[in-house]
Structures are given as C-alpha cells and as structure tokens.
Amino acid sequence: MKSGETKASDVIAEIRRLGDATMAERAQGFFKTGKGEYGEGDKFVGVRVPVLRALVKTHQILSQKEVMKLLRSQWHEVRLFALFLWVKQYGKGDDTLRKTIYTDYLDHTRFINNWDLVDCSAPAIVGAHLTNANRKVLYKLVESNLLWERRIAIVACFHFIRQDDYSDALALFEKVLADREDLIHKASGWMLREIGKRNIDAAEQFLQQHYLQMPRTMLRYALEKFTPERRQAYMKGLV
C-alpha cells in the first residue's frame, strides 16, 4: 500500500463512528429489509447521504483492492460510500482505470443490492462506459433473474437520455413491460418521464403504443409531468 493511501478498515471505522441507531432503524424500514422484502437482511449504520459524500472528498486515495473490500461490506452505507467513490474515480480516471471500475462493477452486482446503490452509480459508470460502445450487455442484464441487474440496465440509460439518445432505453422498456417487480416499473417509468422532458414526441410515441399494457406504476411515473387532463386520459385508456 502506498504511503498516504486510506485503508478500507479506516473508512469502515469512521462510518460506524458517524452512525446513529435511530436513523439506522428508520432506514431498515424504508429500504425494506424485512423477511421476504427486496432488501431482506441488509444492515444500516445510520449515516445520511450528504455525510457520506463529504467523506468521499476526504478519502479519495483508495486502491481498487480497498474499494472492493468496502463494496463487499455488510453495511449498506459502506457499500454506498464505495459506489460514490467509484463514480468520482471513474469520472477522473484514465481509460485503464475506467475499464477496471466498469468490469469490477458488473462482476459484483450482488453487492449493488438496493435501489439507491443502483441509482447513484449505474448511469455514471455503466452508462458512461457504454456511450460509444456496444450496448448488448444491457440486454443481457435486463433479462437477468437478479432484480438489481435489471434495474442497472434500465437506470444506466439515464446517461444516454441526457445526451438525447433514447433508442436503447425505449427498447429496454419494452422488455420489462411484464416484469414482476414494482422497482423495475418505477425505474422504467422514471426514465420514460426523463425522455418526455427532453422529447415529448418520443415519449408519446412509446406511450401510445404500449400504455394499455404498461404496469400502472410505470405509467404513473411516466406521466408525472403531463398536464392533468392528458394524464387522466392515459390512465383511463382514452388516448
């Protein structure tokens, strides 16, 4: 280890010192950690997101080996810290580091196992890495049995959407119309809403073709920025 480099154990100790038991208990309810729920068994320290982001600024010199130790942690906030750090490192890194982070990310999706972990990282790592690359991996992920891999595929498209590139997002939305998980419906509706903010015609074309088959949650999320009248027409099947 290089001189001045932070150890994973130092970060974990600091995050645990910052923890709050009451906040941790609330988080376990909010992130559905009960038996049979999507976050079953996850453990929280009780540290807010702004605190973790500030901590990243003071602990940027971590090797990929040490970051991987953080990503494998039992503590949700430690994994979140690792992903915040990866996003920052990816943004500032050279091609070699970016490829390493992208590859390690997709090799360890079992640890990116809640919606906040996916949403804070998939666009800036997976989406960014695939901007000018073959995106077939997204079509593999969206067919995964793992909920979080399917959400990664959908939310990664936010990076393309911000560049007015909608084709893969729209194609992936079609593949999750019958998905069994509400978190996928929410993610795809959210991304469709983002397309609508930039290109209402593209969003409406998809909606008019699929809205009668869309899960209600996906449809509600997609229509949030529509006028009340237009929103009601879609929800009542009158378009």
Side-chain angles (χ1 to χ4, degrees):
M1 183 172 293
K2 297 178 182 178
S3 177
E5 182 179 297
T6 305
K7 295 181 181 179
S9 57
D10 297 331
V11 174
I12 294 170
E14 188 163 358
I15 290 174
R16 294 196 66 181
R17 283 196 299 272
L18 292 167
D20 177 274
T22 300
M23 193 181 302
E25 185 176 358
R26 286 201 298 266
Q28 285 181 209
F30 183 74
F31 287 100
K32 307 298 184 185
T33 62
K35 187 172 178 59
E37 295 182 308
Y38 60 74
E40 181 177 350
D42 204 355
K43 296 182 179 180
F44 286 77
V45 178
V47 180
R48 295 184 185 278
V49 166
V51 176
L52 292 174
R53 290 192 181 277
L55 199 59
V56 166
K57 294 179 181 179
T58 63
H59 291 301
Q60 294 186 38
I61 308 177
L62 268 81
S63 68
Q64 294 308 298
K65 180 180 178 180
E66 295 299 302
V67 179
M68 288 305 307
K69 291 178 183 178
L70 296 174
L71 189 64
R72 296 187 183 103
S73 173
Q74 66 177 317
W75 301 107
H76 185 100
E77 292 94 338
V78 174
R79 300 197 304 281
L80 185 56
F81 173 95
L83 292 165
F84 284 155
L85 181 58
W86 255 353
V87 167
K88 185 170 287 292
Q89 290 180 336
Y90 186 95
K92 294 183 176 181
D94 58 19
D95 288 346
T96 299
L97 179 58
R98 290 178 177 179
K99 183 177 181 180
T100 296
I101 291 172
Y102 168 78
T103 301
D104 284 344
Y105 186 98
L106 290 184
D107 284 346
H108 294 85
T109 51
R110 64 191 181 278
F111 300 107
I112 307 169
N113 58 351
N114 215 310
W115 58 264
D116 62 325
L117 303 178
V118 171
D119 296 358
C120 79
S121 58
I125 295 176
V126 179
H129 202 77
L130 297 177
T131 298
N132 297 308
N134 188 305
R135 299 174 186 173
K136 64 182 180 180
V137 65
L138 297 179
Y139 295 83
K140 180 179 179 181
L141 289 170
V142 86
E143 300 288 351
S144 172
N145 290 326
L146 185 63
L147 160 64
W148 308 117
E149 290 191 340
R150 301 201 303 279
R151 186 159 175 124
I152 286 169
I154 296 297
V155 178
C157 292
F158 201 4
H159 186 83
F160 315 142
I161 291 168
R162 286 168 169 156
Q163 298 175 334
D164 297 320
D165 177 357
Y166 314 129
S167 57
D168 288 290
L170 294 170
L172 291 169
F173 298 160
E174 289 186 346
K175 292 183 176 295
V176 298
L177 288 173
D179 198 281
R180 63 189 180 275
E181 295 288 351
D182 196 54
L183 283 173
I184 299 301
H185 305 163
K186 290 178 179 178
S188 50
W190 167 30
M191 290 299 103
L192 186 54
R193 183 180 73 225
E194 293 299 326
I195 291 175
K197 289 179 182 178
R198 294 160 173 81
N199 188 324
I200 190 63
D201 290 339
E204 288 247 36
Q205 184 176 352
F206 183 91
L207 283 166
Q208 290 177 20
Q209 184 176 356
H210 297 291
Y211 82 99
L212 292 175
Q213 294 79 42
M214 286 171 67
R216 301 298 279 181
T217 299
M218 179 180 178
L219 184 57
R220 283 197 302 271
Y221 271 59
L223 297 173
E224 283 182 358
K225 299 298 182 181
F226 280 52
T227 65
E229 295 77 16
R230 191 66 170 164
R231 188 163 58 244
Q232 285 300 312
Y234 272 112
M235 295 302 294
K236 293 179 179 179
L238 300 176
V239 176

